[in-house]
Amino acid sequence: MVIIRARAPLRLGLGGGGTDLPEFYEKFGGKTLSAAIDLYAHTTVEPLEYPAVEIEATDLEKSDRFELVPRLEPSGSLDLHKGVYNRIVSDFNKGEPLACRLMTYSDVPAGSGLGSSSAMVVTMVKAFVEWLNLPLDEYEIASLAYDIERKDLGLSGGKQDQYSAAFGGINFIEFVPNGSVIVNPLRVKNWIVCELETSLVLFHTGVSRQSAEIIDEQARNILNSESDSIEAMISLRDSAVEMKAALLKGRIKDFAVAMQRSWESKKATAHSISNPFLDEVFETALRAGALAGKVSGAGGGGFMMFLVDSSKRTSVARALEQLDGTVRPCHLTDRGVEGWRVNAPNRLSP
């Protein structure tokens, strides 16, 4: 018997995050800059020889077993897994149920701000693509993952995370008012990538946050034509363009200036993006020599990233380690979502 594995990279939201919300890009057009990193969401699909669907999220310590049915009803537990299974069965298996064991885990905790939920959906879709030999490319995988999350399950959020996970690398992504997405992979010179990695300090605050509340507030502010929030979102979009230009030219300090301006704009889009602890982390890093910083993702917690001169990297890391949280190493990766097959012993019984 063959089992199928897949993995998709998580991402750092460098700039423009929030402008990938439909409430914004359908009116103004959105632009984001993101970089895939060597932390992953992982999936294993094991075809079963008995009539059942088994789901296990090992990192969340959640599992369930169902009769072999064409639709698993979302219930608030393992809904991402159920949503992927339901779409694959209905759209690509003629409504016929699939006897399988679906197992997942992520390299980071939930609520990290690194796009882990969307990367998980992307990697699950890719595992089924590999199993069923489905002719879906990166755009189609990302689009399907978005539809599962946002339309089928009604989860709040934007579009950049699915495309970053599917494509990998450093991407400038444009969100067109008609709903189209244009992924522009940036050909960043190797020395610039090395310099960016050397300048980057990634800090996990230890605070898991629910991004939906922040995203819902941002969406409400746009729909209600709150001028301050809309102006901040436009500034976020424009900062992503500036950051792209600075990165391509290797101007890391200019990149840091744009990132800092982007963070100030982001805080103006919703009240709960920052909090006293995040402000303390930010000020600690700046006092130790950081040039700029921001929360990755919607805000409220998860991972924060800081840009530093390489001579200050150790001092910034040491200062942050005095706070509740963890400095995590990471490297950028060009690899997007990947799927492969491995031989395994037959699974004959539950």
Side-chain angles (χ1 to χ4, degrees):
M1 177 181 287
V2 172
I3 64 174
I4 297 89
R5 300 197 198 281
R7 70 176 188 176
L10 309 185
R11 61 98 186 99
L12 295 177
L14 300 174
T19 70
D20 58 327
L21 293 173
E23 290 81 2
F24 181 82
Y25 72 70
E26 288 176 358
K27 292 182 178 180
F28 306 102
K31 297 173 182 178
T32 64
L33 181 66
S34 62
I37 57 176
D38 60 350
L39 296 169
Y40 297 89
H42 304 263
T43 292
T44 296
V45 171
E46 182 179 346
L48 298 179
E49 295 186 359
Y50 51 90
V53 179
E54 299 176 354
I55 299 176
E56 183 177 7
T58 58
D59 53 336
L60 303 178
E61 298 184 337
K62 292 183 179 181
S63 62
D64 211 336
R65 187 168 184 264
F66 307 91
E67 295 180 1
L68 187 60
V69 293
R71 176 174 171 79
L72 304 175
E73 197 62 36
S75 62
S77 177
L78 300 171
D79 283 354
L80 293 178
H81 304 67
K82 295 173 184 176
V84 171
Y85 173 85
N86 292 343
R87 258 307 184 101
I88 294 296
V89 167
S90 65
D91 290 9
F92 302 102
N93 207 49
K94 300 180 180 179
E96 294 296 324
L98 290 162
C100 63
R101 188 167 187 240
L102 176 60
M103 297 171 288
T104 64
Y105 70 93
S106 176
D107 288 342
V108 299
S112 65
L114 300 179
S116 57
S117 294
S118 296
M120 187 62 73
V121 177
V122 167
T123 191
M124 285 191 283
V125 170
K126 179 62 175 179
F128 281 107
V129 165
E130 186 73 21
W131 181 21
L132 303 177
N133 295 311
L134 303 178
L136 301 183
D137 63 15
E138 290 88 352
Y139 272 105
E140 292 165 318
I141 289 173
S143 178
L144 177 58
Y146 174 82
D147 286 348
I148 291 169
E149 281 190 87
R150 310 298 178 224
K151 298 179 181 180
D152 297 356
L153 297 174
L155 302 175
S156 300
K159 279 188 172 182
Q160 77 157 329
D161 294 352
Q162 296 85 358
Y163 288 86
S164 180
F167 281 84
I170 302 174
N171 295 299
F172 181 73
I173 309 177
E174 300 174 79
F175 305 92
V176 184
N178 66 10
S180 299
V181 179
I182 303 170
V183 179
N184 302 281
L186 300 187
R187 298 182 63 181
V188 182
K189 294 178 180 178
N190 186 63
W191 75 264
I192 299 175
V193 173
C194 293
E195 184 66 14
L196 179 60
E197 288 182 341
T198 301
S199 305
L200 183 68
V201 174
L202 189 62
F203 180 71
H204 186 231
T205 63
V207 178
S208 178
R209 88 286 182 271
Q210 295 294 327
S211 62
E213 295 179 5
I214 297 172
I215 293 167
D216 288 343
E217 182 183 349
Q218 290 175 323
R220 283 196 305 272
N221 288 340
I222 297 166
L223 292 173
N224 293 334
S225 299
E226 298 283 348
S227 59
D228 290 345
S229 182
I230 291 174
E231 288 176 10
M233 294 286 268
I234 290 173
S235 177
L236 274 173
R237 183 195 63 193
D238 295 344
S239 292
V241 178
E242 293 178 41
M243 293 172 74
K244 177 191 73 169
L247 185 62
L248 288 171
K249 296 174 182 177
R251 296 176 179 171
I252 301 299
K253 289 188 177 180
D254 291 346
F255 185 86
V257 170
M259 174 183 282
Q260 186 58 39
R261 187 163 55 248
S262 171
W263 173 234
E264 296 302 324
S265 297
K266 190 173 184 69
K267 288 190 291 184
T269 65
H271 291 97
S272 53
I273 283 176
S274 192
N275 56 51
F277 175 62
L278 297 185
D279 291 341
E280 179 187 3
V281 173
F282 189 83
E283 292 302 323
T284 297
L286 289 185
R287 285 196 301 269
L291 299 171
K294 68 183 294 290
V295 172
S296 181
F303 278 87
M304 299 184 73
M305 70 183 86
F306 297 95
L307 287 176
V308 304
D309 185 279
S310 61
S311 64
K312 300 289 186 180
R313 181 183 178 87
T314 301
S315 61
V316 171
R318 284 175 177 167
L320 291 173
E321 286 170 348
Q322 301 305 307
L323 304 173
D324 291 334
T326 309
V327 174
R328 287 284 299 266
C330 80
H331 300 280
L332 307 187
T333 178
D334 288 331
R335 305 183 81 103
V337 66
E338 301 171 289
W340 65 97
R341 295 167 176 251
V342 294
N343 292 323
N346 288 337
R347 183 176 171 86
L348 298 177
S349 59

